[in-house]
Amino acid sequence: MVIGIGARAYTAGSETVTAHLSPQVTLGSTVIWAPDDERAASASGAVGKSVSTQLRLNSLTPGATYTVTAMHRSTSASVTCWFDTIHLRVDPIS
């Protein structure tokens, strides 16, 4: 599958904190792909910006139902990060 994920994001009042938006892929209760900053659309700075990324996940079981969830986090618990117009798109590949 190809996963596209993104948002308009910014970090309030900080140029050094980073906001990350990453997909989590599960099969039932089993996590296939945990959210990871290396697979994230990331933004920093007090000015909003649009960020996105596309990822390819191979070796899935044909006919199985996977769940893809947009997960977000900040590199600081004391700085507010905003995510607006979050988008998540999943396309099968053969």
Side-chain angles (χ1 to χ4, degrees):
M1 77 174 70
V2 175
I3 301 169
I5 191 167
R8 182 155 175 84
Y10 70 94
T11 55
S14 176
E15 296 296 324
T16 59
V17 172
T18 304
H20 300 285
L21 181 66
S22 180
Q24 174 175 282
V25 180
T26 57
L27 177 58
S29 61
T30 303
V31 176
I32 305 300
W33 251 13
D36 187 317
D37 295 350
E38 294 296 318
R39 293 189 294 262
S42 304
S44 61
V47 175
K49 57 197 66 57
S50 295
V51 293
S52 67
T53 190
Q54 285 192 318
L55 307 158
R56 183 178 176 139
L57 177 56
N58 295 313
S59 303
L60 300 174
T61 303
T65 301
Y66 294 87
T67 302
V68 183
T69 307
M71 308 294 279
H72 55 78
R73 77 171 203 91
S74 165
T75 57
S76 171
S78 62
V79 174
T80 301
C81 292
W82 296 94
F83 298 89
D84 193 10
T85 60
I86 294 172
H87 67 272
L88 175 64
R89 180 179 171 142
V90 179
D91 292 306
I93 54 175
S94 48

